[in-house]
Amino acid sequence: MPEEHSHTIMAVDELQAIIQRCQILEEADFKGEDFNLFQVAGQKCLEDGYAAQLLEVIQNEKNKVIIKNMGWNLISPLVRCIFMYKQEDDKREHCLRILDQLAQLCNPKELFLGLLEQIEQTSGDQVCQTVMLLLQPLQTVLLKLQNKKAYSVGLSLAMIMNQLTPLPVPYTKQQIQEDKLGLCRCCNAVVDFAKPFVNEVVKNMEKSSEYNDMELKEELIKFCMKSLKFPLLTAQLEQLEGIEEHPFRNFATEIIDILWNLGELIPLIFVHHKSKSPHWEDQEFADMERKNSADSLACLSYLIFVQHFSVECFPVVFSPSYLLLCNMTHIEVLLKRTEESVLSKGLDLFESCLLRMEDNSLLHHYLEFRDFINVPQDLVKIMTLCPMEHMRKKSLNILQLFIDKFDTEGKYTLFRCLLKTSNHAGVEGYIIKNIKDQIHLASTKEYDNIWFTGHHLISLLDLVLSLPEGAETDLLQNSDRIMASLNLLRYLVIKDCESDNQTGVWTTLGKIEQNFLKPLRVGLNMSKAHYEAEIKNKKENRKEAQSSNTVCSLTVSGEKMQPMTTGMQLQVLHSALFTFDLIESVLARVEELIEVKTKAVMDENS
C-alpha cells in the first residue's frame, strides 16, 4: 500500500474513530480533548484532499449533534483549503458544500465567533476574497440568532468594514474595471448581506409607529455612515464611459436606499446638528467619532446635491440660501482635505450650491456664520498651495461665484475679511480688482450702493492703499497687490472729479500719499538701486565665475533645485527690474493725474 494512501486512510480512520466514540456520548459529556481530536482529524482530511469523505461525515444524520458542537472548529482549515484549490476543482466544490452545511448545522453562537475570527485574521490580498466567501454563512448564522442579534450584526459589519478600510480604493476607469483586490465586488456583496436585517427593521417599523427596538436600526445606520467615509468619500463617483454598471455608484445607491428605508436620510442631511452625540469618556475617541461622522455626512451631501442620488425623494421646499447654509459645514470638511478625490467633491458641492442661487441674493447676515468666513479662506489656501493647477483654477472660479452671490454689504464685508486674512499678494490683487468693479457699479445710476462710496469706501481704501511694512515692504513679493492698488487709485482719480468727490477719494488723498504713494516711491528707489548694484556685481564677476564653473544652488522646501548659472541669475534680476519699472510707470501716471486735477481745481477757485 503506498505511504500517501495509508496516511489518508489513517486521517479518515482517525476521524471515524472520534465520531464513533462521540456518537455514544451525551452532548454535555463532550470534553475539550474531543474537540481538539475532531479538529485535528478534520483538518488532516481537508489538507490531504479528502473533503468528500468529510462532507459525508457532516451530512450523516447520526453525527448531527457532534457537528452542531464541534463543526465550527473546521472553519479556519476549510477557508485555507478553499483558496488552495482552483475554481473548477471538485475538491473546492466539496469544501464549499461543507461550509454551507456547517452554517446550517453548527451552534449559531459558536460558528458566528469562528467566522468573525476568520475575517479578523485575514489580511492583504485575501481580505475581500475571505469576506465574500464567508458573507453567506455569516448571514445564515445571524438570521438564526435570538439573543444579542443587533449587537452581533453590528459587530459583523464593523469587523468587515475595519478589514476593508486599509485597502486602496480603485479610482481610475482601468482600476475600477480590473478591481484587482475585489473591493468593488466586495462592497456590493456586503450591502446584499445587510439587506435582510434592513427588511426586518422596516417590517417592524411598518407594524408599529412606536417601534422601540432601535438597536438593530442604529447598527445599520453606523454601517451606512462607515460606508460613506470608506470607500465612497475617496471613490470616483462620476459616470465613466464604457462602465455600464459603475460599482461604487451602485454601492452609493444601495447605501442611500437603506438610509431612506430606515427613515434617516432627510434627518441626517438637515438636522444632524441637533442630534445628540454619544458621550465618550475618552476625549480623543470622541473627537475621532466626530470627525468620522463629519466626513460621512459631507459625502452624503455630495451624493445628494451633486450626483443627485435619490433626488426624487427630496423635498423641494428649501430655498437655495438655506441649502447653502446646510452644506457649508460639509464643504468646509471636504476642502480641508488634501486628496484630490475628496477635495474635488468639496469644490463640486460648493459650486452646485452656488449655481442654484441668483447673483446678489445672498444676504450679508450669512457672514455671521463661522463657515461662511472659513470656507473662502480654505478656497484661498487651495488657490495658493494646491499642486494641481486645475484645482487652483476651479477654486478661483468658485471664489468669484461666491462673491457674486452676496448683496453689496456682504461683498464689502467679505472683501475686508479676505484682505486681512489671505496673506497672498496675488489673492489680494484679485480682491482689489473686485473692489474696483464694485465701485464702478456703484457709480452707475441703477445701483443705489452706499457700501462702495463715501465713508464706507474710504475705510476700505485704508486697507487697500497701504504698504504692509512701509518703504521696507518687499515690492517684488507684493507686486500683484501694489499694481492692483495703483490701477484702482488711477481709476478713482480719473473717474471721480474733486468737485464731485462721490467716492470720497479726494478727501483722503493726503493720507493716501502719506501711507502709500510716498513710501512706495522710496521703496522703488531703494529696490532698483539694490538690484542694479547686484546686476553690476554679477557682470563684473561673470568671467571669474565662468572660469571656475561657479554656480548658485537653490533649496526650496528642503529640496535642492537645479543649480543656477550666472546667466540665469542675471535673467532673474533683470525680470525684477522690469517689474519695478512697470510699477514706477503706473505710479508716475497716478501722481501726474493727481497733480493735473488738483491744479485744475486750484485754478478754478482762484
Side-chain angles (χ1 to χ4, degrees):
M1 184 182 289
E3 190 178 341
E4 186 184 335
H5 187 60
S6 66
H7 276 311
T8 303
I9 295 298
M10 280 175 62
V12 174
D13 286 347
E14 280 174 22
L15 181 64
Q16 289 288 4
I18 295 158
I19 291 290
Q20 284 167 12
R21 194 176 75 182
C22 291
Q23 277 176 346
I24 58 171
L25 294 174
E26 291 295 322
E27 192 173 341
D29 295 331
F30 291 154
K31 295 176 183 174
E33 183 188 355
D34 298 325
F35 285 83
N36 291 337
L37 288 170
F38 177 82
Q39 184 183 14
V40 170
Q43 182 173 330
K44 205 167 182 185
C45 286
L46 286 168
E47 288 171 353
D48 289 349
Y50 282 80
Q53 282 85 339
L54 181 58
L55 179 60
E56 283 177 23
V57 169
I58 290 169
Q59 288 175 326
N60 190 330
E61 188 69 22
K62 293 178 184 176
N63 302 329
K64 199 173 179 181
V65 175
I66 299 167
I67 301 306
K68 177 190 169 187
N69 287 277
M70 301 185 189
W72 65 274
N73 276 312
L74 296 174
I75 292 295
S76 181
L78 194 56
V79 169
R80 277 201 306 275
C81 288
I82 289 169
F83 289 140
M84 189 172 69
Y85 298 127
K86 290 181 179 174
Q87 197 76 27
E88 62 280 0
D89 198 321
D90 286 343
K91 290 172 186 172
R92 188 176 193 275
E93 185 56 37
H94 288 136
C95 289
L96 289 170
R97 287 175 64 191
I98 290 171
L99 184 59
D100 181 56
Q101 285 293 306
L102 293 178
Q104 303 298 331
L105 300 172
C106 286
N107 179 310
K109 184 182 173 185
E110 301 293 350
L111 187 58
F112 167 69
L113 294 172
L115 290 167
L116 268 201
E117 185 181 8
Q118 197 59 39
I119 290 170
E120 186 180 21
Q121 287 173 356
T122 188
S123 61
D125 294 356
Q126 284 200 328
V127 168
C128 290
Q129 292 178 58
T130 304
V131 169
M132 284 190 284
L133 175 68
L134 300 181
L135 279 176
Q136 188 57 60
L138 186 58
Q139 186 189 69
T140 303
V141 168
L142 286 168
L143 288 168
K144 287 182 179 182
L145 283 179
Q146 299 302 317
N147 299 324
K148 293 192 175 178
K149 184 176 184 178
Y151 170 79
S152 302
V153 170
L155 187 62
S156 303
L157 289 167
M159 178 77 72
I160 289 165
M161 295 310 290
N162 287 344
Q163 287 295 81
L164 296 181
T165 301
L167 300 178
V169 178
Y171 191 72
T172 65
K173 179 182 171 181
Q174 187 182 347
Q175 287 170 345
I176 290 169
Q177 285 176 322
E178 284 178 1
D179 193 20
K180 197 172 177 184
L181 297 178
L183 182 65
C184 300
R185 281 168 288 135
C186 191
C187 286
N188 285 289
V190 175
V191 169
D192 290 337
F193 164 83
K195 279 180 182 176
F197 310 108
V198 176
N199 294 338
E200 185 180 323
V201 173
V202 171
K203 275 182 187 173
N204 288 328
M205 286 167 68
E206 286 169 355
K207 281 179 193 171
S208 167
S209 57
E210 296 175 9
Y211 174 59
N212 290 322
D213 185 13
M214 296 298 289
E215 277 186 65
L216 184 55
K217 182 179 176 181
E218 283 176 8
E219 294 298 346
L220 292 166
I221 293 168
K222 281 183 199 171
F223 161 66
C224 290
M225 294 292 275
K226 280 183 182 174
S227 300
L228 288 165
K229 183 174 170 64
F230 178 91
L232 293 175
L233 185 63
T234 51
Q236 162 65 270
L237 292 165
E238 297 291 341
Q239 288 280 17
L240 295 172
E241 195 181 337
I243 300 183
E244 200 171 314
E245 291 284 315
H246 190 312
F248 289 126
R249 286 183 68 86
N250 289 348
F251 183 61
T253 303
E254 296 283 8
I255 292 297
I256 287 177
D257 282 350
I258 291 173
L259 290 171
W260 174 257
N261 290 330
L262 297 177
E264 292 296 321
L265 183 62
I266 303 300
L268 278 171
I269 292 169
F270 290 109
V271 296
H272 64 271
H273 53 280
K274 295 179 186 173
S275 62
K276 280 190 174 182
S277 300
H279 176 71
W280 301 105
E281 301 262 334
D282 187 336
Q283 187 57 43
E284 192 177 329
F285 189 76
D287 291 343
M288 188 173 72
E289 279 291 298
R290 246 191 311 277
K291 185 186 179 305
N292 288 340
S293 174
D295 287 341
S296 301
L297 291 169
C299 183
L300 180 62
S301 273
Y302 169 81
L303 292 171
I304 299 291
F305 294 106
V306 179
Q307 294 297 334
H308 307 300
F309 285 96
S310 291
V311 74
E312 68 281 355
C313 307
F314 200 76
V316 287
V317 295
F318 302 110
S319 69
S321 54
Y322 179 71
L323 290 178
L324 177 64
L325 175 62
C326 290
N327 277 306
M328 281 303 262
T329 305
H330 306 317
I331 291 163
E332 186 181 2
V333 166
L334 296 170
L335 294 188
K336 290 229 183 309
R337 297 283 287 266
T338 54
E339 310 95 312
E340 182 185 359
S341 55
V342 182
L343 199 53
S344 63
K345 287 182 177 67
L347 293 173
D348 288 344
L349 180 57
F350 197 12
E351 184 179 44
S352 173
C353 291
L354 292 172
L355 289 173
R356 286 184 169 89
M357 306 183 72
E358 296 287 329
D359 284 357
N360 309 306
S361 65
L362 190 59
L363 300 176
H364 60 275
H365 305 298
Y366 281 90
L367 287 168
E368 292 170 14
F369 294 102
R370 179 182 56 82
D371 300 329
F372 278 77
I373 294 296
N374 290 351
V375 166
Q377 290 176 357
D378 290 333
L379 277 181
V380 166
K381 284 177 187 168
I382 298 166
M383 284 157 50
T384 55
L385 300 174
C386 182
M388 292 163 280
E389 187 185 1
H390 67 284
M391 290 289 198
R392 295 197 300 272
K393 285 180 177 176
K394 185 161 187 174
S395 300
L396 179 62
N397 293 337
I398 292 172
L399 179 63
Q400 186 60 59
L401 204 56
F402 187 55
I403 291 167
D404 293 343
K405 300 307 169 188
F406 273 102
D407 59 17
T408 49
E409 187 178 346
K411 288 183 175 75
Y412 178 88
T413 308
L414 187 59
F415 292 156
R416 288 189 72 92
C417 170
L418 290 172
L419 283 172
K420 287 178 179 177
T421 60
S422 69
N423 298 315
H424 188 278
V427 175
E428 289 162 5
Y430 186 79
I431 296 303
I432 292 165
K433 182 185 174 298
N434 264 278
I435 292 170
K436 177 172 163 281
D437 293 341
Q438 289 304 312
I439 294 168
H440 178 71
L441 281 174
S443 68
T444 60
K445 287 181 181 177
E446 57 265 33
Y447 282 87
D448 183 19
N449 185 343
I450 62 164
W451 290 97
F452 292 93
T453 58
H455 70 278
H456 288 303
L457 178 58
I458 289 169
S459 173
L460 194 56
L461 291 178
D462 286 345
L463 269 179
V464 173
L465 302 175
S466 64
L467 292 176
E469 290 152 38
E472 301 292 323
T473 301
D474 185 336
L475 302 186
L476 202 58
Q477 190 76 28
N478 288 278
S479 60
D480 286 343
R481 178 194 169 120
I482 292 165
M483 283 297 290
S485 300
L486 285 170
N487 281 324
L488 171 59
L489 185 54
R490 179 175 62 177
Y491 169 82
L492 290 170
V493 172
I494 291 170
K495 275 288 195 184
D496 197 7
C497 298
E498 191 173 355
S499 53
D500 293 340
N501 197 24
Q502 187 184 355
T503 61
V505 69
W506 294 99
T507 311
T508 191
L509 193 58
K511 195 175 180 182
I512 292 168
E513 286 180 334
Q514 192 64 37
N515 293 345
F516 184 57
L517 298 177
K518 283 181 182 175
L520 180 56
R521 173 62 68 189
V522 173
L524 274 171
N525 292 337
M526 286 165 56
S527 298
K528 284 181 76 174
H530 173 72
Y531 276 78
E532 281 165 356
E534 276 291 309
I535 287 170
K536 188 180 176 185
N537 184 39
K538 292 288 177 195
K539 283 180 177 176
E540 285 174 359
N541 295 332
R542 193 169 195 174
K543 286 180 185 177
E544 183 188 332
Q546 282 173 343
S547 62
S548 62
N549 293 321
T550 305
V551 290
C552 169
S553 69
L554 180 68
T555 304
V556 178
S557 301
E559 237 181 87
K560 202 166 185 181
M561 307 302 284
Q562 283 189 337
M564 284 180 75
T565 63
T566 306
M568 289 162 76
Q569 292 172 57
L570 281 167
Q571 199 176 346
V572 170
L573 293 167
H574 278 296
S575 176
L577 270 183
F578 177 76
T579 302
F580 296 143
D581 287 341
L582 203 60
I583 293 171
E584 189 172 38
S585 68
V586 182
L587 174 60
R589 178 65 179 143
V590 169
E591 288 172 335
E592 182 191 338
L593 285 166
I594 291 170
E595 189 181 340
V596 167
K597 287 217 168 187
T598 307
K599 190 180 177 191
V601 170
M602 286 173 69
D603 289 347
E604 276 180 27
N605 292 339
S606 63

